[in-house]
Amino acid sequence: MRAILFLSLLMLGTIGVAQTTITGNVVDPNNEPVPGSNVVIVGKAVGAVSDFDGNFTLKTSETPPFQLKISSIGYTDTTFDVTSNNQNITIVLNEASTILDEIVISASRTPERLFESPVSIERFGLKDIQNTSAASFYGGLENLKGVDINTNSLTFQSINTRGFASFANTRFMQLVDGMDNSSPALNFVLGNLVGMNDLDVQSVEILPGASSALYGANAFNGILFMRSKSPFDFQGISAYIKTGITSQKAAGDNPYYDFGIRAAHAFSDKLAVKASFSYMEGTDWYAVNEEDLNNPGFTRADPGYDGLNVYGEAVSGTVNFDALAGLPSGTLGSAFVTRTGYAESDLTDYDAQSVKFDGAIHYRPFADDFEIIYNGRVGRGSTIYQGANRYYIDNFSLQQHKLEFRNDNFFVRGYITSENAGDSYDTRLAAVNVNRKWKRDLPNPNDPSEASWFGDYAATYIGAKLGIGTGVQLDDATAHAAARAAADTGRLIPGTPEFKAAFNTVIADGNVATGARFIDNTKLRHIDANYNFSHLTSDFADIQMGGSYREYELNSSGTIFTDNDGPIPYAEYGLYTQLQKKFMDERIKFTGSVRYDKNELFDGFVSPRGSLTYTVGENRNHNFRGSFQTGFRNPTTQDLYIGLDAGRARLVGASPDNLDRYVFDTSVSTNGAAIVGSNTVTLVGRAAYENAFSVSSLAAGTPEVVNTPLVKPEKVTALELGYRGQIGKVVVDISGYYNDYQDFISQKFVATPKYGQAGDGGLSLLALQNNDIQIFNTYTNSLADITSYGVTAGIEAKVLGNFDVGINYTYADFDFDETSDPDFQPQFNTPRNKVKASFGNTELFDNFGFNVNYRWTETFLWENSFATGKIPSFSVLDAQVNYAVPSIKSVFKLGASNLLGDEYYTAVGTGYIGSQYYLSWTINN
């Protein structure tokens, strides 16, 4: 508190100093304004940004003469000499010859031309953000080459680069102003649900492929960098309002609202502040697929029906009618029966919401490049997340608080990320426990007169088949229908007060045996630092060093992790260095880096990277690059410490100290009870790894014992070759990559006998015969040799004067030896072929522009613990037209995503993605 007070007093003391004032206008060669231009004093971190009309005002304590540097994306930098106070100047910026002149930072942790980047990189700048045809800048990233977006819901989009990604894409990082934006408990990014306001985004960069040598664990298959606008450079108040409809066959047409505002002000050349807020609300894509993927053609008339988006049917079992009736085996036989479930639409209201706020104080005590920054971000939202089950993430919140010290040569930052699951719950468990509210699953051994669903089902079926009371023996189908009707007597009907009361009780209950809510207050604390010695070593090479430290504190009160007895802490750290040197008249550039990382649960890991770029041509307009990179991925918090009943299986993390603290009771069959002398047995998580059969061997009828190794870090070696160049007015970018994975982290389903030791030839076989088994989802590493490879190629050009046209193609595939690991599910989840194209003009005529984007995706296989199946090929057309009204500093945009209206989906089990139509009004951005 004292430190904050001291800083506040120090900042207040900087206000009111003498100032030099420079006003001016930035225009292009046609005398059209260039809004968003940076006007900076050379050698100082002092500047201004031109407004909608190209005007700017720069106030500084510097005394003339001094020099200004003026820059804007898409234009060539220029300088201007200021000789006196109160000058009014006009700056003319010439259009840059190519987008390859744009500056990127992430590829080498230092500014460099995109043209000279040593690895593949995609950039989405201010111009791209303002002209995207998608409903948000984040959705517009899907039009970049080599980038896929898996749409989980309206507010949750998951980026996939180079494959092996589900919605829980733990192989991809997202940094927002240097802060890891991942959920601390889930270890993956929730899209832009709690990310950055559209108005505050200055640029987005995406590095596909391994980046662990600079960015550490989990920068494995890609990393996204979001950089916000500085309040020193981008001042004033800007706002937008967007409204429209989402249209889907299942959900109909529903209104959609999005509003945002940003305010920034520099009180002097030492102190600036900013704040932004946005609110989005709409109706999510309904998931209404009732197909039984395991039994194609099954309907609810079949006793073992299990619909894709129908939940509660995971409560199931094989009912031996002969044993229950005391009849000779084969008289009535047995049947696999599932309990009647509820549709997903009965278990969620499909409200989609995102609320984001962030504020920052920027302080430059010496009015130079040294800066102290406090940044706080708070986001809250509601969305659907699909993992092992479908989860309604309701009123989820995530907040981050950062303190950073930096200048042009170094930074030191520390931040804390904390989350609160809010009112989130598991829709499958909600259905299961709503059912149990009105009737228990199995007969009560202590009170045989108490009604139970399977008891009522069996009794009615046996009576119907034997003709008890009627003298008429019914056929199987009719007897099963009568049995289900009898068992469902008293069932809570959606929409009734009784159902609503039971449902609300269940989703507020964090006990998985009776409720569906999950509680999460997990935190992470992170510190990282970097020092660039280039100003001292540039005669030899550009050298930089850095490091990071992170501590997790898992806190789910036993609803996700095995933390019933208190939070679980663990930590990791890393150190790195990089050297960059140019040769041969700066045509060859070598970049080498190496990093050491250590997680307290695993051995340390060294990840090196090396790259060469070679620039050729008289005009230096052709660049060839090659790189060798390594990466690694630590097991996630869930891989290590999860302990969760997901209905179809229990998930048990593989940390050694997790195995014995996941303990639960489970029921056994009537025959099993006679063997063990009780209706229940106690199982421990260790059994999943040391006392189990493989599920695939049971399905094949040949039980095979499996001892599952505990999970350890995953490694990748990546090779990449590429070319960037300009040929006339055409820009070409081609790259190819090859990845070789070792110890690929995977999940395996195993079946643990509820009594006996797997392979004992006795009790465990009886457990199998009685279906007294527990399915576990374990976390381990695949034995298979896995490789992936791909090519991306893109062309961008100016045609017919001022029209922008682009087309890109991506090929991606993988190989693995199935015989070495037959149970392995790779979850590549990426189309082999896809094509994207764009066409637009930012100035078709005065103040009018448009942009059209087209995407084609080939059929591909989606694999996930929730469901597996083919994703049909689809084509999507997005378009927007915009009109600027300079007199009110406004831009109006009319647009549509999926303009053709052909519904599609990117994962099995999600709702079909319909169309989104919008009209927006943006002021002073």
Side-chain angles (χ1 to χ4, degrees), residues 128 144 250 732 757 828 853 895:
D128 305 296
L144 299 175
V732 179
Q757 178 68 36
F828 189 60
N853 292 99

Side-chain angles (χ1 to χ4, degrees), residues 393-407:
I393 309 299
D394 191 20
N395 293 322
F396 169 89
S397 65
L398 184 144
Q399 56 180 301
Q400 297 186 289
H401 299 276
K402 176 186 75 170
L403 184 63
E404 181 172 4
F405 301 83
R406 64 177 307 124
N407 71 4

Side-chain angles (χ1 to χ4, degrees), residues 40-46 62 66-70 78-80:
V40 180
I41 298 176
V42 174
K44 301 287 183 178
V46 178
E62 292 292 312
F66 53 80
Q67 193 174 61
L68 299 178
K69 178 181 178 182
I70 302 92
T78 190
T79 58
F80 186 91

Side-chain angles (χ1 to χ4, degrees), residues 600-615:
E600 68 177 63
L601 300 172
F602 305 102
D603 293 336
F605 185 77
V606 176
S607 42
R609 180 177 86 162
S611 67
L612 275 177
T613 63
Y614 179 43
T615 302

Side-chain angles (χ1 to χ4, degrees), residues 261-342:
I261 186 169
R262 178 185 184 272
H265 182 69
F267 295 98
S268 68
D269 53 7
K270 293 186 177 183
L271 177 65
V273 299
K274 69 173 182 177
S276 65
F277 172 84
S278 66
Y279 176 87
M280 192 282 287
E281 183 176 12
T283 299
D284 227 324
W285 309 118
Y286 279 36
V288 295
N289 190 341
E290 297 188 357
E291 179 185 1
D292 187 335
L293 297 184
N294 295 320
N295 302 285
F298 268 31
T299 66
R300 185 62 281 176
D302 296 284
Y305 167 78
D306 186 5
L308 180 60
N309 293 127
V310 182
Y311 313 133
E313 292 157 343
V315 177
S316 59
T318 300
V319 182
N320 188 329
F321 299 112
D322 292 332
L324 292 172
L327 298 172
S329 178
T331 306
L332 299 179
S334 61
F336 182 75
V337 177
T338 59
R339 188 163 180 177
T340 307
Y342 292 97

Side-chain angles (χ1 to χ4, degrees), residues 146-408:
V147 176
D148 293 314
I149 286 186
N150 296 324
T151 299
N152 206 351
S153 76
L154 190 65
T155 51
F156 182 5
Q157 297 172 307
S158 177
I159 292 179
N160 171 17
T161 57
R162 301 194 175 175
F164 300 113
S166 64
F167 292 117
N169 190 358
T170 53
R171 290 179 168 83
F172 188 86
M173 285 184 69
Q174 179 169 295
L175 298 180
V176 177
D177 283 338
M179 294 184 287
D180 187 345
N181 198 223
S182 302
S183 158
L186 302 175
N187 286 162
F188 61 84
V189 180
L190 295 168
N192 199 38
L193 178 67
V194 289
M196 192 177 286
N197 184 326
D198 287 31
L199 296 170
D200 200 33
V201 182
Q202 181 172 356
S203 67
V204 179
E205 297 175 16
I206 296 180
L207 286 178
S211 302
S212 295
L214 285 181
Y215 296 100
N218 306 331
F220 197 71
N221 265 21
I223 184 168
L224 179 149
F225 302 82
M226 245 185 267
R227 189 160 59 100
S228 69
K229 298 173 180 176
S230 166
F232 282 109
D233 298 334
F234 295 85
Q235 297 184 46
I237 298 175
S238 53
Y240 73 87
I241 184 169
K242 188 181 304 177
T243 186
I245 63 169
T246 54
S247 181
Q248 185 200 29
K249 292 176 183 176
D253 295 341
N254 294 283
Y256 159 81
Y257 309 99
D258 190 2
F259 163 79
I261 186 169
R262 178 185 184 272
H265 182 69
F267 295 98
S268 68
D269 53 7
K270 293 186 177 183
L271 177 65
V273 299
K274 69 173 182 177
S276 65
F277 172 84
S278 66
Y279 176 87
M280 192 282 287
E281 183 176 12
T283 299
D284 227 324
W285 309 118
Y286 279 36
V288 295
N289 190 341
E290 297 188 357
E291 179 185 1
D292 187 335
L293 297 184
N294 295 320
N295 302 285
F298 268 31
T299 66
R300 185 62 281 176
D302 296 284
Y305 167 78
D306 186 5
L308 180 60
N309 293 127
V310 182
Y311 313 133
E313 292 157 343
V315 177
S316 59
T318 300
V319 182
N320 188 329
F321 299 112
D322 292 332
L324 292 172
L327 298 172
S329 178
T331 306
L332 299 179
S334 61
F336 182 75
V337 177
T338 59
R339 188 163 180 177
T340 307
Y342 292 97
E344 180 177 295
S345 54
D346 298 327
L347 303 167
T348 176
D349 55 16
Y350 287 112
D351 282 347
Q353 189 181 91
S354 174
V355 184
K356 296 187 278 268
F357 169 82
D358 78 86
I361 302 171
H362 292 238
Y363 178 55
R364 297 170 175 171
F366 312 115
D368 57 11
D369 63 342
F370 177 68
E371 190 167 3
I372 303 170
I373 303 170
Y374 164 76
N375 181 211
R377 297 184 178 277
V378 181
R380 182 179 64 82
S382 297
T383 189
I384 298 285
Y385 159 58
Q386 181 173 306
N389 292 336
R390 296 265 291 173
Y391 305 92
Y392 184 42
I393 309 299
D394 191 20
N395 293 322
F396 169 89
S397 65
L398 184 144
Q399 56 180 301
Q400 297 186 289
H401 299 276
K402 176 186 75 170
L403 184 63
E404 181 172 4
F405 301 83
R406 64 177 307 124
N407 71 4
D408 290 344

